[in-house]
Structures are given as C-alpha cells and as structure tokens.
Amino acid sequence: MAYAVYVSNAESREISVLRLDDDGALTPVESQPVPGAVMPLAMSPDHRYLYASLRSAPFAVAVFATDPATGRLTPLSTAPLPNNMAYLSTDRGGRFLLSASYSGNKIAINPITSDGGVAPPIEVKSTPPHAHSIVADPSGRYLFAAALGGDVILQYRFDAESGRLTPNQPPLVETAPGAGPRHLVFHPDGSTAYGSNELDGTVNAYRFESATGTLTLVASATVLPATAGPPWTSELRLTPDGRYLYVAERTSSTLAGFRIAPATGLLDPLGHTPTEARPRGFAIDPSGRFLVAAGQQSHAVTSYAIDPETGSLTPRHRLGVGRDPNWVEIVDLR
C-alpha cells in the first residue's frame, strides 16, 4: 500500500506532493506552486479535492483535484475567504468548507459546489480572540471552534443541509486561564475529544455527549519534556484505531505520545520523541502505521514507524521539502 503526502510550505509558496511507501520511504512526486503564503490544508472526505488556505493578501482558498493513482495536483479554482484563515476543514458530508481566522477573530462556512469549488460564505461569525480551529463532531450535527485568546471552545449546533450555525447550550467550554486552546480531534468511537493547548503545554481530554453535542473536561496532561522552554504546543493527531494520541511541541521540537485507555479515554504518557525543528504540523497515514512530521525551521519532513504494541516512534526516512513546511495531510493511493 502507498500513500500521498501533501505538505504546505508557506515561505516558498508551494505544496510538496510526496509518496509514502510501505517501508516508510518518502519520494518526491511534484511541487505545486500556489499564489500566496500557504497554510493550512484540508482534504475533502472523498479525497478528490485538496483545499489550501492562502494567508497573504488577497486572502483566498486554492482548490486542487487529486490524482488517486499518483497524488498529483491539478489546480481548479481560487475563491476569496473572509479573512486570513489559519484553519480549514470540511463538514462530514463534504458539502461545506469550514474555516477559522486567528487574526480576524471569526469563523466562516462556505458551500462547496459539485465540482469542488468554494462559493461565497453563508455564515461568518465573530469569536473571542484568535479563533484557531473549527471541526465537526463524528455525527456531523455539531461544530466546535477553539478560540485561543479567549480560552474557550465554542459549541454550535450545525444544520448539515443549510450550513447554518446556532449556539449550543452551553455555548462554550472554558479551558484553564492562559491555556490557549488550539486544535481539537475526536476519538473514532465518538465518546471523547482531545484538545491541544498552545500556551501552557497541555492536552485536554473531554467527554463528548453525542445526544447534546457538548464537551465536558475530564482530564489534562502535560506534553512538555522534562527540560523545556516556554510552551508552544501545536498539532495533535490520533491513530485511526484510537489507541494512541500524539502532540507536537515546537519549543522542544518533540512529539509527545499517549496511550488512550479504552474504557475511559484517559491519557497514559508514553514519553517524547525528538523530531524536526519547530514541528508545527504532522499527520498519521490511514493505516496507522506511519507518522510524518514537518519542521518549520528545518525545511524537511521525517517519517516514523508507529509500533502497534507500544506506540513508540522509529524514524524511517528524512526528506527536504519547501521553505517553512507547516501542515501535513496523508491519503491512500489506489
């Protein structure tokens, strides 16, 4: 089995397309230029389209078709976005593009057309300072947006037919003061969600009530190694089987690993793996066998084999990419 790896490189304004093979080897496929500082990326649920946020003016999203056999990208269109968007995702049905603006303090919902294009927004909502992510729950009936400067995760009910949002009850969940909530992921079984906190170097575990679409904090764990400078937590990702969670920390350039307790969703620390310098983005392949991490300062990526029994990471292959690699997406090749 082989995989396509997409890496956005903000400074060199390009998307690196790589091939990840069964042994963890990475091979360059192409470098696709984009007309702006590019970060982040989002893949459509059917893997037919890749969406790239252009964060230099004029703020926009670039849409690419993906070749299912090679992973190569074909530019399709560019559409304006309401602001400089630091996060992109889609709803579970792939009908709406969801985006969050760190500098503009807002979230937006844009319809996705039948050919993968992005139409003008139907929802633009103000948030507390520094909205940093927006994701749908596994059912697609609820949306959650982390506002780093407000120390809250906003909770919304979502109409998957119209794309409209309404605040849930309660409308938000608070983190610890100064935690700086950044990104959120849901466990595959839908019972738990995990949130990375950029400013205090922690990861939170939340119980998710699927009937009400609300989060309840149950535990928090540090992602910092024993010798670390000021916290600067970034991405977090789960293995597809829900057994392991990994969180990147940029000051120490490490990946923290956690084993997830099956019955409770609580986190058991596994230790820290040194990785590329300033790891802003990383991803795990759909089989759960490999993790690929990008270093903003090293301008390179490294693939790691994930031990299924212990969750430990073993480096497999390192490859230079563009300047300031910051986001990674991985999909199957046919």
Side-chain angles (χ1 to χ4, degrees), residues 72-122:
R72 288 181 177 272
L73 298 174
T74 300
L76 294 181
S77 60
T78 302
L81 290 177
N83 210 292
N84 176 342
M85 296 315 212
Y87 195 95
L88 298 180
S89 63
T90 71
D91 73 315
R92 295 295 175 173
R95 296 180 58 191
F96 299 95
L97 183 72
L98 318 176
S99 58
S101 175
Y102 181 92
S103 58
N105 311 319
K106 59 174 58 79
I107 56 173
I109 299 179
N110 293 65
I112 294 174
T113 60
S114 59
D115 59 358
V118 176
I122 57 174

Side-chain angles (χ1 to χ4, degrees), residues 5-9 14-17 32 34 38-44 49-55 61-62 64 73 85-90 97-98 183 235 237 326-330:
V5 181
Y6 299 99
V7 183
S8 59
N9 305 285
E14 62 188 315
I15 299 172
S16 298
V17 182
Q32 180 68 232
V34 293
V38 57
M39 71 168 95
L41 305 174
M43 186 67 63
S44 65
Y49 304 107
L50 181 71
Y51 298 93
S53 179
L54 306 181
R55 298 183 65 186
V61 57
F64 300 88
L73 298 174
M85 296 315 212
Y87 195 95
L88 298 180
S89 63
T90 71
L97 183 72
L98 318 176
H183 289 177
E235 186 63 279
R237 301 271 187 163
N326 52 71
W327 198 276
V328 184
E329 293 288 338
I330 307 176

Side-chain angles (χ1 to χ4, degrees), residues 3 18-27 290 303 316-317 319:
Y3 308 93
L18 315 175
R19 177 186 171 96
L20 173 65
D21 284 309
D22 244 0
D23 59 356
L26 294 165
T27 305
F290 298 103
S303 63
R316 282 288 184 256
H317 192 204
L319 186 68

Side-chain angles (χ1 to χ4, degrees), residues 68-226:
T70 67
R72 288 181 177 272
L73 298 174
T74 300
L76 294 181
S77 60
T78 302
L81 290 177
N83 210 292
N84 176 342
M85 296 315 212
Y87 195 95
L88 298 180
S89 63
T90 71
D91 73 315
R92 295 295 175 173
R95 296 180 58 191
F96 299 95
L97 183 72
L98 318 176
S99 58
S101 175
Y102 181 92
S103 58
N105 311 319
K106 59 174 58 79
I107 56 173
I109 299 179
N110 293 65
I112 294 174
T113 60
S114 59
D115 59 358
V118 176
I122 57 174
E123 290 271 24
V124 179
K125 290 189 177 294
S126 296
T127 68
H130 306 324
H132 218 317
S133 62
I134 179 169
V135 297
D137 83 297
S139 76
R141 296 182 297 137
Y142 306 100
L143 296 184
F144 298 85
L148 183 146
D151 289 325
V152 296
I153 297 174
L154 304 173
Q155 304 185 131
Y156 297 96
R157 293 189 294 272
F158 178 62
D159 186 326
E161 292 300 316
S162 68
R164 296 294 180 179
L165 290 176
T166 53
N168 208 342
Q169 294 301 323
L172 56 82
V173 175
E174 295 181 337
T175 64
R182 180 182 173 94
H183 289 177
L184 190 74
V185 295
F186 281 86
H187 193 277
D189 70 8
S191 66
T192 315
Y194 301 93
S196 61
N197 296 311
E198 179 174 327
L199 303 181
D200 72 354
T202 62
V203 57
N204 287 352
Y206 298 91
R207 183 174 67 252
F208 177 58
E209 302 291 349
S210 59
T212 60
T214 55
L215 301 172
T216 303
L217 179 66
V218 293
S220 185
T222 183
V223 305
L224 299 174

Side-chain angles (χ1 to χ4, degrees), residues 207-277:
R207 183 174 67 252
F208 177 58
E209 302 291 349
S210 59
T212 60
T214 55
L215 301 172
T216 303
L217 179 66
V218 293
S220 185
T222 183
V223 305
L224 299 174
T227 56
W232 202 14
T233 306
S234 54
E235 186 63 279
L236 80 169
R237 301 271 187 163
L238 285 157
T239 53
D241 61 9
R243 295 181 63 193
Y244 301 109
L245 174 74
Y246 301 91
V247 188
E249 205 287 312
R250 285 171 285 184
T251 300
S252 59
S253 296
T254 57
L255 297 168
F258 299 88
R259 179 181 289 106
I260 296 174
T264 63
L266 296 180
L267 299 172
D268 177 25
L270 298 175
H272 301 82
T273 302
T275 189
E276 296 288 340

